Amino acid sequence: MASDNKADQPLEIKLFGPHDDDEDLFCKNLLLSLVGGEISPTQAAHDLDKWIVDKANTDLEERKKYPDPWNVPSPESPSWVAPNPSGLITCFFESFARLCSAFPPGHAGQDRLIHFLEALRTMPKHEVPNYLPNDPPADFYYLLKLWPFGGNWLSLTEVFRVEAEDYGYPYATFATLGSDMQVGWRNWQSLLARITAFGFIDCSFLCALEGILPQLKMPAQSRVAGDVIGGVQWILQPDTGLYVYQQCKAVEKVSQLDSRAMWSWERWGQWKARLASISNDDGFVLEVREMARLAVDRMVELDTEDCSVVVSI
């Protein structure tokens, strides 16, 4: 029987906008078919790859038809054409990032998104032409490898950062526990943790655990509560907790020169102490205290377990 708890149900999916073009519509309809179970993750990966490869190759051939392919109408002109698979991939992941907030941890829709990424990554490596604004005699395109993922491939981390800011997550107070904003933040953190732990895109710098640490100007308690519920997703999920532990164990302290550094052994201890404190603080509602307690229990387990096991899907 399905749960009546709103936090256990998918949020309303809001992907479409009044200015969507054909590329936007292709990406969004593909994603909806994927998470709705109408097509398999493998089929969705094949369809996306084929669309990108076919369009890149077609646009390259069109550009070659110009007498001087280095000197064609500007991008503002309707007749301008150039292979741009990196732009199509960015366009797709803009919708993908928006969809990440829809599904709660453990939901089939979230699993389908993860398996879709894995289906892309396990494809035989291949290349597509991607426009490069060079002057002759240098080539006006280079060959882009698909789909290696990892780190900040094609600057996709920026897509997730922009999505967080556009949705208002960094500024939210999460004043109402169970609101769409708070539940969406929890869902988003859950999926970002998995995307990061599995090595697709490194979104560590967006981890909500950073928000629970003491600060010179502490945010509202409701904000801290939202970051507890969101942040512990990185610890509680079986396929991400070990990843966080291993990353923290590898670094003594975060570098002050890297504003996006997240993991360190020092922070692991700080998070554990802070969550333990919150779990016993009656100023937080029971759900928040319980989530904090579960996270501390898991951290203690990870401290005592043999953590040499490689994270796997």
Side-chain angles (χ1 to χ4, degrees):
M1 181 180 294
S3 170
D4 293 329
N5 188 342
K6 176 182 176 181
D8 296 331
Q9 303 299 322
L11 297 177
E12 180 183 357
I13 295 175
K14 300 177 181 178
L15 279 183
F16 296 95
H19 304 296
D20 287 343
D21 58 19
D22 290 344
E23 293 173 357
D24 294 318
L25 292 174
F26 175 88
C27 296
K28 293 175 181 182
N29 285 320
L30 179 66
L31 282 166
L32 288 182
S33 296
L34 167 65
V35 298
E38 297 169 22
I39 59 175
S40 69
T42 300
Q43 184 62 51
H46 173 271
D47 291 352
L48 177 66
D49 180 77
K50 184 177 187 303
W51 177 65
I52 287 173
V53 171
D54 287 352
K55 184 163 177 51
N57 287 330
T58 298
D59 288 347
L60 176 64
E61 293 307 312
E62 285 298 312
R63 192 176 184 94
K64 285 181 176 179
K65 292 178 181 178
Y66 284 90
D68 180 3
W70 286 270
N71 185 25
V72 297
S74 70
E76 289 74 24
S77 169
S79 62
W80 185 83
V81 62
N84 187 26
S86 59
L88 295 178
I89 292 169
T90 297
C91 174
F92 176 82
F93 274 94
E94 287 171 351
S95 294
F96 184 100
R98 192 163 302 122
L99 197 56
C100 288
S101 62
F103 301 103
H107 192 276
Q110 188 180 116
D111 289 341
R112 290 185 185 112
L113 290 172
I114 289 293
H115 292 305
F116 162 77
L117 294 179
E118 184 61 20
L120 284 174
R121 184 165 61 182
T122 56
M123 281 184 172
K125 294 299 178 281
H126 50 293
E127 299 174 330
V128 286
N130 199 87
Y131 176 65
L132 196 63
N134 280 333
D135 293 324
D139 286 335
F140 57 86
Y141 68 93
Y142 70 97
L143 294 178
L144 174 68
K145 290 182 171 60
L146 300 178
W147 297 82
F149 287 114
N152 189 23
W153 183 61
L154 293 183
S155 299
L156 291 180
T157 56
E158 293 306 297
V159 172
F160 287 87
R161 179 190 62 78
V162 170
E163 170 61 18
E165 293 182 354
D166 284 351
Y167 200 73
Y169 285 139
Y171 326 110
T173 61
F174 304 125
T176 304
L177 200 64
S179 65
D180 283 0
M181 177 70 81
Q182 182 267 309
V183 172
W185 182 235
R186 187 275 314 266
N187 296 350
W188 206 65
Q189 288 288 316
S190 170
L191 192 48
L192 254 63
R194 299 179 72 187
I195 290 170
T196 300
F198 291 142
F200 295 116
I201 305 165
D202 187 359
C203 294
S204 299
F205 70 102
L206 294 169
C207 176
L209 285 172
E210 187 169 33
I212 74 171
L213 294 176
Q215 304 168 39
L216 290 177
K217 184 179 180 181
M218 285 300 295
Q221 191 175 59
S222 60
R223 170 73 206 199
V224 176
D227 280 341
V228 168
I229 295 174
V232 298
Q233 303 305 316
W234 292 75
I235 296 171
L236 291 177
Q237 297 183 108
D239 46 14
T240 63
L242 178 58
Y243 169 84
V244 172
Y245 176 87
Q246 291 174 332
Q247 295 299 306
C248 287
K249 195 72 181 289
V251 179
E252 186 62 31
K253 292 186 177 184
V254 295
S255 169
Q256 299 302 311
L257 301 177
D258 183 358
S259 62
R260 292 191 169 186
M262 180 60 62
W263 315 122
S264 76
W265 194 236
E266 179 184 49
R267 279 195 169 179
W268 178 265
Q270 291 172 339
W271 284 324
K272 187 162 58 173
R274 178 68 168 137
L275 289 166
S277 173
I278 290 172
S279 71
N280 293 304
D281 187 341
D282 291 339
F284 291 92
V285 299
L286 179 60
E287 178 185 350
V288 175
R289 299 200 308 270
E290 180 64 12
M291 295 296 289
R293 183 190 66 78
L294 290 172
V296 172
D297 289 347
R298 178 59 178 148
M299 294 175 86
V300 171
E301 288 179 4
L302 288 165
D303 281 335
T304 56
E305 288 176 355
D306 176 7
C307 294
S308 61
V309 180
V310 177
V311 175
S312 61
I313 294 179

